[in-house]
Amino acid sequence: MQRINLRKSCAVGVSLAALSLALPAGAQTAPQEPVPTGVADQPAAQVEDIVVTGFRSSLQQALNIKRSEAGAVDAILAEDIADFPDQNLAEAIQRLPGVTIDRVNGQGTTISVRGLSSDFTRTRINGLEAQAASGGSRNRSFDFSMFASELFNSIKVRKTQSAEIEEGSLGATVDLQTGRPMDFGGSGLNSALSVQGSYNDLSEKTVPRLAGLLSWTNEDRTFGALISAAYSERSPILESFNTTRWQQGDASRPYGVGQNLGGCIPCTTAAQRTEVLNAFYPRIPRYTFGNTQEDRLGVTAALQWRPSARTEVALDLLWSRLNSELESPNLEAWSFSRAAVNSVVVRDYAIDASKNAFSYGVFDNVLVRSENGFTRNESTFAQASLNVRHDFTDRFRGNLKLGANKSEARTPLNVAYAFEQSDVDGYTIDFRGDDRLPLINYGFDTTSGEDFTLIQATRSTSGGDFDNQVAAGALEYDWSDAVTFKFGGEYRTYGFSNFGVSRANTATVGADRLTGVDSIGKVVSIDGKIGVPAGSSLNFIVPDIGKIADFLSVYDDPLTPNRSEREVDETDQGVFVQTDFNTQLGAVTVRGNVGVRYARTEVESKGWQTITTPAGPTYEYVTANNDYDDVLPSFNLAIEPREDLVIRLGAAKVMSRPSLGDLTPGGGVSPTTRTVSYGNPLLDPFRATNYDMSVEWYFQNEGLLAAAVFYKDIDSFITSVTESIVWSDLGLPNELLQGAARPTDVFQVTRKLNGQGGTLHGLEIQYQQPFTFLPGFWSNFGFIGNFTYVDSEVDYGAAGKNRLTGQSKNTVNATLYYEKGPFQARTSAAYRSSYLMSFPGSNGNSEEGMNDTVYLDASMSYDITPNLTFSLEGINLTDEYNDRYVDVADRVSDYRHTGREIAVGLRWKY
């Protein structure tokens, strides 16, 4: 029987591509993946040595990783990440089957795997679970935009669970690995530098992107040190039309009552009146654009020591900082979102019957608001991890992992100002030419501040801290050449806290109120690249952030706590036993693992309770405790009926802990009315049973055709419910009752609960092949592609059943590449079908979601000399729009684009 030879010679040119530096063929020897226990000593087929370099070599190594694992794993190596035209890690990972990303301000931030959102995906950096947050993040999801892709050597996405992998994921575990000095062949000094300039065609700005690496190992390769750094800036324009949802009238109410329009001049019949009052209208229609400035700096360092062939010690350090500033001016019809709509008069209109919505309207008595806001976010991430491996004997070995990381997300400044003008006549909005980009005309000179009044000024500061400390270890013993026993465990503490303070007077500017605001305003213009219809009001006056700060005392006014603070302190303990096997059953190779993990979780949650009494509200900071246990068996089996074919089967019980925001005991208590509204610190985790099967055909070197099916039976999802509960069963302190109720009283409680569950199933197909079978020029091409189908059904209680939020039914990724000598080129496309963002919707809308997107990227490079490479990259070449919708009728919510990015660079290595 022939076996996979995991030690076959593969002369590769995996470069310092973790630094976006394409090295010449054969200049470096790629790091070899560790051989799974029990495989190395088995008989191996004689495999012809194939010399591949550059991008093709990284693809081959990724296939070797996938092929040798017992479970379902996909990988990207440094050459992939560095040479894809991707701004950050999320946009690199989206190339893998089953992975989709969410974008904020034009770049990828969080990932979903196999239809499960980012809250259900665990991320580890250098083997240590990590939490990276930016801006206002307050959940468990990992924000990949914190890091430049140049800082990492490899990414692995583990889609099936084994007992030795820590619990916490329903979707996948993502492993990120930074560079180490012994990743590169030879001894002595290695260095590299990359310089790029990136141009955005919407903002018309060019910003820098820099990366560098310095690595050294001694002559015996027993000790080495490495440091790398990456700095980049972004400056996109966020140009959009948005409505902040649509809202429906109510023909059963008279004009001017309960969010009904004040009157309809052309409504001469009862039928017309009913048609108008039942129709949906946009809540805050407006054209807007944001001026964004970002800078990101990341640094890694590593020390690697191999005192003997049996021992290795690695110390990895990582630090990253992401700063961003956003100014967001807009001019909007404020009346439609507030009670002021009761005085709005319809002068002329047209209704789109297919959407039951205004397609055209001319309105009088409209309240118009001009707004401008400025937000500064500052986020940092720091991690230190120590990994020790030692072989006590040829059969007995162990590893130890110690580390800590901390992520701080701060919004040190968030200000917003508003001008207002009432009783505007002739406001026009017209969707008849384009249901995404309407004509909007306000009916007055929008560049003049003469009739505007300064009516609002707010300022706030907020932030959140995430802390992880981990100690873990494991032992392995080879019982025989075919069987290895593993035992280990870990202890982890996880902490989250946040705070918020705001200006005491946020409703009005009081004595600073001013009519005629030209002196503290500025005129902004939407340049029309979004395709705004002619006749729209694209130039308008907004508050000038700088001038208004000098005029108002808002920056000097005291900030007071807004009682949004909450804390979660969590202790996670786990132990596992696992058996790995690799043997022959007749002529068939069978390998895999079976094991069980025990996990205990202890949670202490804190938050503010607002107590409403006849004497007025009082506040108390309360604490609640919870704990739960999980026993999680798992099984992975890889069957090789012949040398080029792998059949995988997997099953596991998995769990994922509740979102941090849902755990807060904070909320409101009214002892007199016997009502409670709060989060739920007693929530159980999400629990599921996963089943996986795949068939993988490695039909040639660098070639793969694979299909995988998966099914997840999810026990419950967290939902919001209202029910009658005895106070003493809530786990809240009796002091909150203030003597106005008894612990035995029944309260109407609105809170988060572990509700009904659901199911998820799907299919993944992968195809990868270099076209070496074609003649001449065409033999230098190759293709990588994957397709994923996912469907789900979840019970949302009274709202009914629907698919999971964040889950696209269909995703497709495709890359066509060319590689010959010093020249490389690639074109990549990523398609994602529509998905729900919230269900049920609000304001009478059935749902809210995002329509299909297709992103097209391309890159090319040319080795000018063996040490110098020129590169050209294009990102989002079609300037794809994010099209957010509300309701099954597909009414526009936000239609936004950020422009194309073109990057030109040089890469140098020594």
Side-chain angles (χ1 to χ4, degrees):
M1 171 62 190
Q2 291 185 324
R3 305 286 303 281
I4 299 174
N5 186 350
L6 296 175
R7 292 186 174 180
K8 69 180 180 179
S9 171
C10 196
V12 294
V14 174
S15 61
L16 297 183
L19 280 276
S20 291
L21 306 172
L23 304 189
Q28 300 275 355
T29 300
Q32 297 297 311
E33 284 297 314
V35 180
T37 302
V39 174
D41 298 329
Q42 298 298 323
Q46 295 301 314
V47 180
E48 180 185 358
D49 288 358
I50 303 295
V51 178
V52 290
T53 62
F55 180 58
R56 285 181 56 191
S57 74
S58 66
L59 297 180
Q60 179 61 60
Q61 290 178 87
L63 286 190
N64 289 344
I65 293 171
K66 180 180 181 68
R67 190 174 184 177
S68 64
E69 290 278 353
V73 175
D74 287 295
I76 306 175
L77 299 185
E79 183 85 10
D80 278 333
I81 298 173
D83 282 347
F84 268 130
D86 298 319
Q87 301 175 55
N88 59 27
L89 289 173
E91 295 178 18
I93 299 173
Q94 73 169 332
R95 311 296 180 193
L96 296 176
V99 179
T100 57
I101 67 173
D102 295 316
R103 297 175 186 268
V104 176
N105 297 343
Q107 69 174 339
T109 53
T110 58
I111 70 169
S112 301
V113 181
R114 289 184 168 178
L116 289 165
S117 70
S118 56
D119 271 348
F120 301 107
T121 300
R122 293 175 62 254
T123 300
R124 303 189 300 186
I125 299 178
N126 299 328
L128 187 70
E129 183 165 359
Q131 170 74 63
S134 66
S137 177
R138 303 292 184 268
N139 53 38
R140 294 183 188 268
S141 61
F142 187 94
D143 191 337
F144 289 87
S145 68
M146 281 289 298
F147 305 101
S149 59
E150 293 95 330
L151 298 177
F152 295 86
N153 267 0
S154 69
I155 299 173
K156 295 179 184 177
V157 179
R158 302 181 182 274
K159 300 175 183 176
T160 57
Q161 186 72 14
S162 59
E164 64 183 331
I165 303 298
E166 299 96 318
E167 78 288 340
S169 163
L170 258 62
T173 296
V174 178
D175 280 315
L176 308 177
Q177 180 66 53
T178 59
R180 288 175 177 168
M182 296 183 193
D183 289 345
F184 311 108
S187 61
L189 190 67
N190 289 287
S191 60
L193 179 66
S194 172
V195 180
Q196 281 187 321
S198 182
Y199 172 80
N200 182 282
D201 72 335
L202 192 57
S203 67
E204 298 181 346
K205 293 181 179 179
T206 300
V207 293
R209 185 180 181 101
L210 309 170
L213 174 145
L214 188 63
S215 175
W216 172 86
T217 57
N218 64 2
E219 185 174 351
D220 296 331
R221 289 181 57 79
T222 59
F223 181 78
L226 176 147
I227 186 169
S228 69
Y231 174 82
S232 61
E233 296 181 11
R234 294 184 70 245
S235 187
I237 293 290
L238 315 177
E239 198 172 58
S240 72
F241 169 75
N242 60 70
T243 61
T244 318
R245 301 184 302 278
W246 292 62
Q247 185 163 290
Q248 188 176 25
D250 186 350
S252 67
R253 296 172 177 169
Y255 282 116
V257 175
Q259 297 292 301
N260 274 337
L261 297 166
C264 177
I265 295 174
C267 293
T268 58
T269 66
Q272 289 175 316
R273 176 185 178 278
T274 299
E275 178 186 45
V276 167
L277 290 185
N278 275 341
F280 281 85
Y281 49 86
R283 295 184 70 244
I284 311 179
R286 60 193 176 188
Y287 281 103
T288 183
F289 67 95
N291 293 305
T292 303
Q293 302 290 330
E294 286 184 3
D295 65 86
R296 179 177 57 198
L297 175 63
V299 179
T300 76
L303 296 175
Q304 202 169 5
W305 181 41
R306 292 177 179 169
S308 70
R310 292 184 177 273
T311 304
E312 179 177 350
V313 180
L315 174 65
D316 298 295
L317 305 175
L318 170 64
W319 179 86
S320 185
R321 182 211 68 202
L322 176 64
N323 292 337
S324 67
E325 295 182 350
L326 172 65
E327 184 178 3
S328 50
N330 62 78
L331 182 68
E332 58 201 22
W334 187 250
S335 292
F336 296 112
S337 68
R338 297 293 185 268
V341 74
N342 293 336
S343 63
V344 172
V345 174
V346 180
R347 184 194 297 177
D348 194 9
Y349 75 93
I351 303 296
D352 182 345
S354 66
K355 297 184 177 183
N356 186 28
F358 278 84
S359 60
Y360 164 74
V362 181
F363 305 92
D364 292 341
N365 294 340
V366 175
L367 182 67
V368 173
R369 176 172 286 199
S370 170
E371 293 183 330
N372 198 6
F374 179 83
T375 301
R376 177 181 296 123
N377 290 315
E378 299 174 355
S379 305
T380 59
F381 176 89
Q383 174 174 299
S385 57
L386 178 69
N387 288 270
V388 181
R389 175 193 58 80
H390 180 68
D391 296 346
F392 300 99
T393 70
D394 291 342
R395 291 183 174 271
F396 184 49
R397 55 196 167 273
N399 63 77
L400 176 67
K401 177 171 60 181
L402 301 172
N405 57 60
K406 182 172 185 177
S407 183
E408 296 183 349
R410 296 284 186 270
T411 304
L413 180 61
N414 185 24
V415 295
Y417 306 103
F419 298 159
E420 196 169 84
Q421 184 170 336
S422 59
D423 302 326
V424 170
D425 292 337
Y427 170 82
T428 301
I429 184 166
D430 190 350
F431 289 93
R432 292 174 299 184
D434 191 327
D435 66 354
R436 260 46 193 168
L437 298 171
L439 179 151
I440 296 181
N441 193 291
Y442 291 86
F444 67 95
D445 183 4
T446 56
T447 64
S448 171
E450 180 180 357
D451 295 323
F452 277 107
T453 300
L454 174 64
I455 55 93
Q456 188 172 17
T458 66
R459 179 168 67 100
S460 63
T461 297
S462 61
D465 294 330
F466 302 81
D467 292 277
N468 283 280
Q469 293 85 36
V470 177
L475 298 172
E476 300 180 12
Y477 179 69
D478 296 335
W479 177 260
S480 67
D481 290 343
V483 177
T484 297
F485 294 119
K486 296 180 178 180
F487 168 79
E490 61 280 329
Y491 180 89
R492 182 172 74 96
T493 61
Y494 175 80
F496 163 73
S497 63
N498 76 317
F499 69 90
V501 293
S502 56
R503 181 172 179 257
N505 181 11
T506 60
T508 68
V509 293
D512 296 321
R513 193 179 183 96
L514 174 70
T515 299
V517 295
D518 288 288
S519 61
I520 55 172
K522 65 178 180 180
V523 175
V524 298
S525 301
I526 295 179
D527 59 18
K529 288 182 179 178
I530 196 173
V532 181
S536 291
S537 300
L538 300 181
N539 305 310
F540 47 88
I541 192 169
V542 298
D544 187 303
I545 299 295
K547 292 179 182 178
I548 214 166
D550 296 332
F551 173 77
L552 293 178
S553 61
V554 64
Y555 288 97
D556 300 320
D557 292 343
L559 298 176
T560 59
N562 55 25
R563 294 187 174 86
S564 64
E565 299 97 326
R566 60 177 178 266
E567 300 177 56
V568 176
D569 293 306
E570 185 176 278
T571 301
D572 305 326
Q573 303 170 67
V575 294
F576 74 91
V577 291
Q578 179 174 306
T579 301
D580 291 3
F581 52 89
N582 189 329
T583 188
Q584 296 287 131
L585 293 179
V588 176
T589 301
V590 178
R591 53 190 174 86
N593 58 64
V594 60
V596 63
R597 167 173 286 272
Y598 168 77
R600 178 170 177 78
T601 305
E602 299 174 352
V603 185
E604 182 180 75
S605 305
K606 302 176 183 179
W608 283 100
Q609 280 283 350
T610 303
I611 306 114
T612 304
T613 67
T618 60
Y619 308 93
E620 184 165 343
Y621 201 60
V622 298
T623 300
N625 295 280
N626 189 24
D627 60 76
Y628 44 86
D629 301 273
D630 288 274
V631 177
L632 307 169
S634 61
F635 170 73
N636 292 284
L637 178 65
I639 304 170
E640 301 173 20
R642 65 187 200 192
E643 182 182 7
D644 60 352
L645 189 66
V646 181
I647 301 171
R648 300 185 195 275
L649 300 172
K653 284 189 174 295
V654 295
M655 60 87 82
S656 182
R657 297 178 176 91
S659 176
L660 299 168
D662 292 340
L663 290 175
T664 177
V669 175
S670 178
T672 55
T673 60
R674 307 297 196 273
T675 58
V676 177
S677 176
Y678 75 132
N680 187 355
L682 304 182
L683 286 171
D684 285 332
F686 300 87
R687 294 185 173 104
T689 304
N690 294 351
Y691 303 94
D692 296 84
M693 183 180 75
S694 66
V695 179
E696 301 163 9
W697 179 31
Y698 298 87
F699 55 88
Q700 69 172 77
N701 284 329
E702 308 167 58
L704 169 68
L705 179 61
V709 292
F710 50 90
Y711 179 84
K712 300 178 186 290
D713 185 1
I714 305 171
D715 291 347
S716 71
F717 278 92
I718 295 172
T719 58
S720 181
V721 298
T722 300
E723 57 186 348
S724 299
I725 303 176
V726 176
W727 173 268
S728 59
D729 292 337
L730 294 176
L732 297 175
N734 292 336
E735 289 79 8
L736 295 180
L737 298 177
Q738 305 253 315
R742 297 170 297 179
T744 55
D745 288 346
V746 176
F747 279 66
Q748 292 298 306
V749 180
T750 300
R751 61 175 178 168
K752 298 287 187 176
L753 281 182
N754 295 100
Q756 298 295 315
T759 60
L760 179 148
H761 62 275
L763 166 70
E764 290 177 355
I765 298 175
Q766 292 177 261
Y767 168 60
Q768 175 177 323
Q769 184 176 20
F771 297 158
T772 51
F773 59 89
L774 294 176
F777 168 78
W778 302 105
S779 65
N780 301 312
F781 283 91
F783 177 81
I784 315 162
N786 58 72
F787 163 76
T788 303
Y789 168 82
V790 182
D791 201 4
S792 60
E793 183 177 81
V794 177
D795 192 336
Y796 287 93
K801 296 182 178 181
N802 209 325
R803 67 187 189 274
L804 282 168
T805 57
Q807 175 240 307
S808 294
K809 279 195 173 184
N810 300 295
T811 58
V812 179
N813 290 285
T815 297
L816 180 67
Y817 65 89
Y818 177 90
E819 184 171 315
K820 180 176 175 58
F823 181 74
Q824 299 183 31
R826 296 194 294 279
T827 299
S828 300
Y831 166 78
R832 181 179 185 181
S833 66
S834 63
Y835 59 93
L836 289 176
M837 301 183 71
S838 63
F839 182 83
S842 57
N843 300 103
N845 298 285
S846 62
E847 63 188 48
E848 186 167 0
M850 186 74 73
N851 281 314
D852 303 358
T853 57
V854 178
Y855 282 86
L856 182 65
D857 305 321
S859 69
M860 60 149 288
S861 65
Y862 183 80
D863 296 335
I864 301 172
T865 72
N867 299 98
L868 185 65
T869 300
F870 168 81
S871 66
L872 176 65
E873 300 178 354
I875 302 164
N876 189 19
L877 291 174
T878 58
D879 191 14
E880 181 72 354
Y881 283 68
N882 281 337
D883 183 3
R884 188 166 175 169
Y885 72 90
V886 292
D887 205 85
V888 293
D890 191 32
R891 291 183 282 269
V892 62
S893 175
D894 188 82
Y895 191 66
R896 179 181 301 251
H897 73 148
T898 56
R900 303 169 182 84
E901 300 275 347
I902 304 297
V904 179
L906 289 173
R907 302 164 181 169
W908 173 86
K909 70 92 185 180
Y910 175 76

